[in-house]
Amino acid sequence: MQLPAIAPDTFTEIWPGAKAPEITMLMPIYRQPQFIEAAVRSVLRQRKVACEIIISDDASGDGTFEAALAAVRDWLAQRGSDHRIVVRQGSERLWRDHLPLLADSATCDWVCQAHGDDESHPDRAQVLMTVARAQPNATMLTSEAISMDAEGRSPAVPRPLQPQLALSRYTFDRIIGQGHNHLIGYAQAWRRSAVSRFPRLDRGFAATSHDRILPFRAALAGDVYLIKAQLVKRRLHAEAAHNLMFDEDDTSAGFGWTLSRLTALAAMKRDLQLGQEIGLLDPTAALPVALVLDQALAQATRDLVEAHRLNTRAGRQIAWLDEATIRRLRQQRLAAAAAPAPRS
C-alpha cells in the first residue's frame, strides 16, 4: 500500500484507525534496524484496546526508520488496524529531549513507552487500561518484564497472563531508593494530566534521570503501581541506550550513573516543594518524604566524592556523546585495563 509523504521533523498520521484510541504508545527509536520490525509488530498487535501509536526516529540515518515504516506498511496491507498510527523522522538528534516531545504530541491521557529494541505483550495496552479504570487514583503503572538477548532468546520461560491481576503499590521510600528495575522507562505508563503540573522534563530541567523523576512526580499526584505480569520483553544487548548514556571524557565509567542519581534526587527535592505549593501534599505528609530525600542526597553526595573524587568539578553536566567519541573512550579504557602494571 502507498503511505503518505513524510516531511522531516513532522508528525504524520499514516493510518487514522477504526476506533477512538484509549492509550498512546510512544515508540522513540534510534539505530535499531535489526530489532525494529519485531518491536513495531508487537505494538501493532495490541488487541481489545485501540491505541494511538507514535513511532519517532531520532535521526538514525542507518535504515531504522525505513525498516519501521516498511513493517507498518506491510502490516496495514495485510490486516488494516484499529489503531491510529503516527510517524516522525527527525533530522537531528534530540537525545534526552526526544521522549518529552513525543509525550507532548500524544492525544490520550494515558501514555506508555515501547522502545525500538523491546517487544510488548499483545495484551499490554488492554491490561494497562483495565488497571487504570479500576484504580482511578493511579498516576503511573509499571509491569514486570522478561529479559531476552540480542537474538530474542530468554533464559526463563514467560509466565502466562493471569485472569486476576495482582498489584503492588510503590511507596516513596521505594521510588527514592535504588534498584527497582520495573520503574525504568521501558515499563512505564503514566497519566499525562497528573504529571503535567510539574516542569517539562527536557534538558533545561534535568539533563538525565527522567526514569527516576517521573515515578516520583506520579507518586506526588496519586498512586504508582507495579502490575505483577510480564507485559514487556526487554532486550539486553551491548548497544542498548542505557549502556551508552554516560560515557564521558576524562571520567571513570561509573561517574555518570552516580551523578545521574544525584541529579534526580535534587529534582525530586524541587518537585516536593512544588507539590506542596500546588496542594498535592500538606506539610505533615511531605515531612517524612523530605527526610528520606535528604538522607538519599547525603549518601549520593558521599558516593560521588568518595568514588569519583578525581573526576568531579563544579557545574559539570552529563552530555550524550556521538558514537565515534563513545567508541574512542571505550578503546582507551580497554587499553588501560590491558596495559601491564608499572614496575616498582
Side-chain angles (χ1 to χ4, degrees):
M1 64 174 294
Q2 187 71 30
L3 298 179
I6 299 166
D9 303 316
T10 61
F11 290 95
T12 303
E13 181 185 84
I14 60 174
W15 189 261
K19 300 179 181 178
E22 297 182 54
I23 184 171
T24 299
M25 301 193 78
L26 306 176
M27 179 172 274
I29 62 177
Y30 178 69
R31 295 194 174 183
Q32 297 150 329
Q34 69 273 46
F35 309 130
I36 194 64
E37 180 180 357
V40 168
R41 291 174 70 88
S42 78
V43 296
L44 293 171
R45 198 176 287 121
Q46 296 302 299
R47 56 197 180 191
K48 301 178 184 177
V49 165
C51 304
E52 175 182 58
I53 299 170
I54 301 177
I55 303 169
S56 177
D57 179 70
D58 203 18
S60 294
D62 65 347
T64 294
F65 179 74
E66 291 75 11
L69 205 57
V72 173
R73 183 188 60 240
D74 293 346
W75 181 279
L76 292 177
Q78 295 172 21
R79 301 171 179 82
S81 181
D82 287 341
H83 309 308
R84 177 177 186 251
I85 304 171
V86 177
V87 300
R88 172 188 170 275
Q89 184 176 28
S91 61
E92 61 180 78
R93 189 86 162 95
L94 295 178
W95 300 102
R96 297 298 286 180
D97 292 335
H98 196 192
L99 180 62
L101 176 68
L102 301 195
D104 289 345
S105 71
T107 63
C108 299
D109 194 27
W110 275 97
V111 302
C112 74
Q113 295 192 58
H115 294 171
D117 51 0
D118 298 331
E119 297 176 26
S120 293
H121 189 285
D123 290 322
R124 183 185 183 193
Q126 185 261 334
V127 168
L128 290 171
M129 294 314 301
T130 297
V131 175
R133 288 190 289 266
Q135 304 291 337
N137 202 44
T139 48
M140 175 171 280
L141 302 172
T142 70
S143 66
E144 296 175 338
I146 185 165
S147 296
M148 59 180 175
D149 63 16
E151 284 71 42
R153 298 175 303 226
S154 175
V157 177
R159 297 196 312 270
L161 194 61
Q162 300 299 315
Q164 298 297 321
L165 297 170
L167 304 179
S168 174
R169 184 170 174 269
Y170 280 97
T171 63
F172 279 109
D173 286 11
R174 291 179 68 194
I175 292 170
I176 294 169
Q178 298 187 68
H180 304 295
N181 288 337
H182 301 313
L183 278 177
I184 296 175
Y186 72 89
Q188 289 178 355
W190 68 94
R191 192 189 297 270
R192 289 194 305 136
S193 58
V195 300
S196 63
R197 288 177 277 185
F198 296 91
R200 190 172 185 267
L201 272 179
D202 56 17
R203 272 183 286 190
F205 180 85
T208 61
S209 310
H210 294 185
D211 289 356
R212 292 191 177 277
I213 299 170
L214 269 172
F216 185 78
R217 291 179 168 188
L220 289 173
D223 294 327
V224 178
Y225 289 103
L226 168 68
I227 303 171
K228 296 185 177 180
Q230 295 171 330
L231 300 183
V232 180
K233 285 186 177 180
R234 188 188 186 200
R235 198 181 302 270
L236 304 178
H237 58 100
E239 299 305 310
H242 64 272
N243 290 329
L244 308 178
M245 285 173 58
F246 300 121
D247 285 306
E248 289 194 308
D249 212 349
D250 302 325
T251 69
S252 61
F255 175 80
W257 288 106
T258 306
L259 188 54
S260 172
R261 173 157 172 74
L262 192 60
T263 302
L265 291 169
M268 291 177 194
K269 188 82 171 177
R270 296 194 297 272
D271 284 343
L272 180 61
Q273 180 61 41
L274 179 58
Q276 295 179 75
E277 292 172 2
I278 62 178
L280 295 177
L281 284 179
D282 61 40
T284 302
L287 181 58
V289 181
L291 291 175
V292 174
L293 272 174
D294 286 341
Q295 292 170 357
L297 275 164
Q299 183 61 55
T301 303
R302 286 194 295 271
D303 291 344
L304 188 69
V305 172
E306 293 172 5
H308 308 286
R309 61 168 57 93
L310 299 179
N311 300 308
T312 60
R313 59 178 183 259
R316 185 175 186 92
Q317 293 291 317
I318 294 179
W320 289 73
L321 298 180
D322 61 88
E323 186 176 356
T325 305
I326 289 173
R327 191 159 48 245
R328 176 177 59 80
L329 293 174
R330 290 185 171 173
Q331 288 170 346
Q332 288 176 353
R333 289 174 186 154
L334 287 172
R343 294 182 180 179
S344 56

